[in-house]
Every structure is written in C-alpha cells, then in structure tokens.
Amino acid sequence: MSTLVVILIVIVLVIVLALALSVRIVKQYEMGVVFRLGRLLGTREPGLHLIIPIVDNLRHVSLRIVTMPIQSQGIITRDNVSVDVSAVAYFRVGDAVKSVVAIENVAVAIDQIAQTTLRKVVGQHSLDETLSETDRINLDIRQILDVATLDWGVEVTLVELKDIQLPDSMKRAMARQAEAEREKRAKIINAEGESMAAAALGDASDIMMAHPLALQLRNLQSLVDIAADKNSTVIFPAPLMTTIAELGSFLSGEKAASLLPLASLTPIVATGDETKTKEPLTPDVPLVP
C-alpha cells in the first residue's frame, strides 16, 4: 500500500513539474517565438500557452519602443572643426521572428551602427550646417539606419542629436562673430535713424521757412519746456538770421548819419522865453567825417 502511495505521489509531482515547464505566459507588449528541436515553429500571441517541455523553446520578444542613447562621438566636420556629438535613437521590433533569427543582439547591433552612421553623416556637413540644420541631419541618420535594420525586423522611429560640444577656442571665435554681427546691425539701425531724423528735420525747416511765425512758436515752446525745470536763469538765443539783419541795418544807418556834414545842421539858440533859429554856418574848411 505504501509503495502505491509513493508511486502516485511521484506521478503527481511529475505531472505538476511538466505542467510548470509547459505553461508559458506571453505579455501584452510581447510576442512569443517558438522553436521545436531548434527549428522555427511559429509565433505566439499574448496570453497563456502550453509547450512541450525540453522539446520546445519559447523566446519572448518585446514590441515596445526602446530608447537607446548614442554615446558622444569625436567627429571632424567638413570644414575641419573637431566637435563631440551625442544623440539618442528610438526603435521598435516590427518582426519578432527576424529579430531573433537574423541577428544575435538587436540593441548592441543598432548601437554600433548608430555610432558609425552619426560620425559619417555629421562629418559630411560643415559646423554651421551641423548647428543650424539638425532636422535634416536627424532625418539622414534615420533613413540610413532604417535601410540597415530592415533585414533585422527593426524599425527606427526617431533619431535626435542631443548635444554638440565645441572647443573653447571655437566658442570664443563664435562669440566674437556674434558680437561683431550685433554691432553691425546696431550701426545700420543707428544710421537709418539718423537718415530718417534728417529727412524729418528737413521737412520741418521747409515748413518754418514758409511760415516765419512757426519758428517763434517753437521758441516759445522751448521756453515752456525749460521753465518746467524751475531754473533761476534762462539764456535763450535770438534767431541768428534776424539778429544779423537787424545789426546790418543799424550799421548802415550809423554810417549814413556819420556822412552828413555839420553845415547841414541848424543850431537852435534859446534866449529867454523865445527860441531862435540861427542861419547855418558855412565853415571855411569842410568837415571830414
């Protein structure tokens, strides 16, 4: 009786062990690839599956997108500038069978080919193109990787340049270039402003020439602006051209008055309450002004 119980217990244990080795669970984000005696048998969808222990082998292949950083690469650009470029690549397995049968390790293979492609593509561009046309470089790298990984059942969904390290000397040169560019733009803007101001002043002067009172009104406005500062003394220049004209008229009058002879003057003599006018004197020697 005891021998029969032992045999039953052994049989139950073997059955339980066989079931434990036969049951396989494929997760929702995975695909199962089954090999029987080393030969490809097929794939298994997500869920519970039974296989023959020892005879069958089930490989789990993840179908999720994998993020793979591409380590920094020392690259010499087309214009002979040494830069360190790092990137990141995103890929997913599209064909589970090819990813297992065609290549041993998908992640390592993509990492190596991504580094090589990064050096090749960036080396074909100049420094300015590398800094300004990153979208085109990312697209070129992705297309090259897609061609290489198509036979592996892997699809590269995205490649992005993550960091570009420049030498310190190049950083200083670029800073000087940017500063010179800013100064050039500032000078151009300043010159344009001066030109516009000169044109506006010319138009204003034409209006003042046509309307003389406008200059006087502008002077009064300037006096109002100065008086707002509460200054004790205000020195305000008179219009220059008007002053010169008045001074010329005054000098001309003085000169004409000095040329008149003294004989033309009629002296007036006052005697008492009456005022008499004498005859003009005629000197022997004419007066010279």
Side-chain angles (χ1 to χ4, degrees):
M1 185 66 181
S2 60
T3 304
L4 182 60
V5 173
V6 171
I7 292 175
L8 291 175
I9 293 174
V10 171
I11 293 174
V12 171
L13 291 177
V14 171
I15 294 175
V16 172
L17 181 61
L19 289 175
L21 295 176
S22 301
V23 175
R24 292 289 185 271
I25 298 176
V26 179
K27 297 179 181 179
Q28 182 64 39
Y29 55 84
E30 293 179 338
M31 181 69 70
V33 180
V34 180
F35 294 89
R36 178 168 294 175
L37 297 177
R39 294 177 63 88
L40 179 66
L41 185 61
T43 59
R44 296 293 182 268
E45 298 291 334
L48 181 63
H49 299 278
L50 296 177
I51 62 173
I52 301 176
I54 301 175
V55 177
D56 293 343
N57 181 21
L58 179 64
R59 294 282 301 271
H60 296 268
V61 179
S62 177
L63 302 180
R64 293 178 294 181
I65 295 177
V66 180
T67 303
M68 183 188 66
I70 304 175
Q71 65 182 0
S72 180
Q73 303 293 312
I75 304 172
I76 299 178
T77 60
R78 190 177 62 185
D79 50 353
N80 297 325
V81 178
S82 177
V83 296
D84 293 333
V85 182
S86 61
V88 60
Y90 299 86
F91 68 91
R92 60 183 299 272
V93 176
D95 190 334
V97 175
K98 287 184 178 181
S99 67
V100 175
V101 176
I103 191 167
E104 180 179 0
N105 192 322
V106 173
V108 174
I110 293 179
D111 184 23
Q112 295 299 319
I113 194 173
Q115 294 180 22
T116 305
T117 306
L118 178 63
R119 288 194 297 268
K120 176 182 177 181
V121 173
V122 175
Q124 295 175 353
H125 295 78
S126 64
L127 178 60
D128 292 338
E129 293 175 350
T130 304
L131 296 175
S132 61
E133 300 180 3
T134 55
D135 293 339
R136 186 161 64 89
I137 295 176
N138 295 334
L139 183 60
D140 293 342
I141 296 175
R142 177 186 171 185
Q143 291 176 349
I144 295 175
L145 291 179
D146 280 338
V147 173
T149 60
L150 184 62
D151 295 335
W152 305 341
V154 178
E155 177 187 0
V156 178
T157 59
L158 183 65
V159 176
E160 291 287 341
L161 296 183
K162 185 169 63 175
D163 189 20
I164 300 176
Q165 294 291 336
L166 300 176
D168 294 336
S169 59
M170 182 58 62
K171 290 181 180 179
R172 291 192 295 268
M174 294 176 65
R176 290 195 300 269
Q177 179 183 1
E179 184 178 358
E181 183 68 23
R182 291 290 181 180
E183 290 181 355
K184 182 187 74 172
R185 293 171 58 185
K187 290 180 179 179
I188 292 175
I189 294 173
N190 189 21
E192 291 177 352
E194 292 290 340
S195 177
M196 295 174 64
L201 289 175
D203 295 339
S205 64
D206 293 339
I207 295 174
M208 289 183 179
M209 288 290 293
H211 304 280
L213 291 179
L215 181 59
Q216 186 65 24
L217 293 176
R218 186 67 185 90
N219 293 338
L220 294 176
Q221 183 63 38
S222 300
L223 286 174
V224 172
D225 295 339
I226 295 173
D229 296 334
K230 298 180 181 180
N231 294 328
S232 59
T233 303
V234 176
I235 300 176
F236 195 84
L240 180 61
M241 299 306 295
T242 305
T243 304
I244 293 175
E246 292 177 354
L247 182 59
S249 299
F250 175 75
L251 293 177
S252 299
E254 290 295 324
K255 183 176 180 181
S258 62
L259 291 176
L260 293 177
L262 295 178
S264 62
L265 298 177
T266 305
I268 301 174
V269 179
T271 56
D273 296 334
E274 298 178 357
T275 301
K276 298 181 180 180
T277 302
K278 292 187 176 181
E279 296 295 332
L281 299 177
T282 302
D284 298 334
V285 181
L287 298 177
V288 178

